[in-house]
Amino acid sequence: MAVLTEPGPGAVGRAPDREGRRPRRDRGPGALATSFAGYAVLVFFALVFLYPFVIQLGNAFKTEPDAAANPLSPVPSVLDLSSVQRIFEGTDFPLWLGNSTLVTVVVTIGRVFFASLAGYALARLRFSGRRPVFAVVVVMMAVPPVVLLIPKFLVLNQLGLYNSYAALIVPLLVDATGVFVMKQFFESIPVSVEESARIDGAGTFRTFWSVVLPMARPALITVTIMSFQGSWNELPHSLVAVQDPGLFTLPRGLADLVSGSLGKGNQYPLKLGAALLATIPVAIIFVVFQRYFVRGANEGAEKG
């Protein structure tokens, strides 16, 4: 028989509600001031971070004299759309956009697939040399990408892939960071899940594809975001992979614009407008996938 007792004089807090949760304590003026100061600091740094993008947006719709006279003003004196029109009609921006879309989609799919396979093999399969292979993956994460530019050029030239779409795509299909992320996440999944699948007759790949991979959604979304952003903004690799203007991606084309390929003058509206258009897809992908990433991470934490 349960005996109900009242809390003594030294008990701290209030009685829980019907759902077993304790009500929140009333915060005093000091706690409110601290919260306000914290939010004020966050808002300040958010504005500092966003201001360059606001300037970029404002200058994209200015006239060239206005952008040269007031480059730091986010509000154009006269709204001018000629620079945006010139981006599509006077440059190869549509071609660059198409090349970047093709390369980014193929590279992102390839990185997610191969990183998942490699991460699962390193996390679950027992084979000779598994630890040295993982050590090489970790070392590759610490190697600056610029060090590999000349070897990439030599390998692409020797294999006859230089100046082709294959040169833009193949060397980027595998990423050490993606393999590391997938390997660490697969190790957090209980082995008992895979053992149950094997008892039901599933092979190694079927277990990986149908059982383990769907549980790795947070890691998959993380690798997808990193792969999309990395391949979309990749410039150094394109410098050593192609020279044909018909194969230029957006970063390579924007670098060509910044170098003054369109003639004299600063041409701030044209350059910043092109950079703004190139930023929009990355921002959209990040915002959309971040929501699913946070939701998946919360689900994983609750299951853990």
Side-chain angles (χ1 to χ4, degrees):
M1 178 178 181
V3 179
L4 300 177
T5 59
E6 297 183 357
V12 180
R14 301 176 181 177
D17 57 12
R18 294 180 179 179
E19 297 181 359
R21 299 175 300 183
R22 291 187 177 273
R24 297 178 59 183
R25 296 182 180 179
D26 296 332
R27 299 190 297 178
L32 292 176
T34 302
S35 298
F36 178 80
Y39 283 115
V41 172
L42 292 177
V43 170
F44 171 76
F45 281 105
L47 293 176
V48 171
F49 179 78
L50 292 175
Y51 190 65
F53 296 97
V54 175
I55 293 178
Q56 183 185 44
L57 177 62
N59 280 279
F61 297 100
K62 292 181 180 180
T63 61
E64 290 194 20
D66 186 16
N70 305 293
L72 298 182
S73 174
V75 181
S77 300
V78 178
L79 189 64
D80 184 24
L81 301 178
S82 61
S83 296
V84 178
Q85 182 179 2
R86 188 183 174 194
I87 291 173
F88 288 95
E89 297 179 357
T91 68
D92 290 330
F93 187 89
L95 175 64
W96 304 336
L97 180 62
N99 290 337
S100 284
T101 302
L102 173 63
V103 172
T104 300
V105 170
V106 176
V107 169
T108 300
I109 295 175
R111 280 190 181 182
V112 172
F113 179 69
F114 290 122
S116 302
L117 288 176
Y120 183 76
L122 293 173
R124 287 292 191 262
L125 303 184
R126 298 295 180 263
F127 57 90
S128 178
R130 181 171 65 95
R131 296 196 176 192
V133 170
F134 181 65
V136 171
V137 171
V138 175
V139 171
M140 290 301 299
M141 293 173 58
V143 176
V146 67
V147 177
L148 304 177
L149 291 182
I150 295 179
K152 280 184 179 180
F153 169 76
L154 295 176
V155 171
L156 292 174
N157 194 32
Q158 188 69 24
L159 295 178
L161 299 178
Y162 180 73
N163 219 21
S164 65
Y165 283 107
L168 289 171
I169 295 174
V170 174
L172 301 179
L173 288 177
V174 180
D175 176 61
T177 303
V179 175
F180 179 83
V181 170
M182 296 304 301
K183 188 256 186 188
Q184 296 300 109
F185 192 90
F186 284 139
E187 288 184 342
S188 67
I189 297 177
V191 182
S192 58
V193 176
E194 302 169 62
E195 292 177 349
S196 301
R198 292 192 179 95
I199 292 176
D200 293 338
T204 301
F205 185 80
R206 180 64 180 274
T207 302
F208 158 76
W209 186 260
S210 302
V211 179
V212 180
L213 195 61
M215 300 176 65
R217 185 176 61 175
L220 289 173
I221 295 176
T222 301
V223 174
T224 300
I225 294 175
M226 294 190 303
S227 300
F228 185 93
Q229 183 179 8
S231 56
W232 184 269
N233 297 328
E234 182 64 48
L235 173 61
H237 174 70
S238 65
L239 293 175
V240 300
V242 295
Q243 284 294 330
D244 183 2
L247 297 175
F248 282 4
T249 56
L250 270 177
R252 183 70 181 275
L254 294 178
D256 198 42
L257 287 181
V258 173
S259 65
S261 62
L262 294 180
K264 299 180 180 180
N266 52 52
Q267 302 189 50
Y268 287 152
L270 179 66
K271 297 174 183 178
L272 293 178
L276 177 65
L277 293 174
T279 306
I280 291 176
V282 179
I284 293 175
I285 291 295
F286 182 80
V287 171
V288 172
F289 278 87
Q290 185 187 37
R291 178 183 61 178
Y292 293 104
F293 170 72
V294 173
R295 183 186 305 173
N298 291 337
E299 292 175 358
E302 292 175 0
K303 292 179 181 179

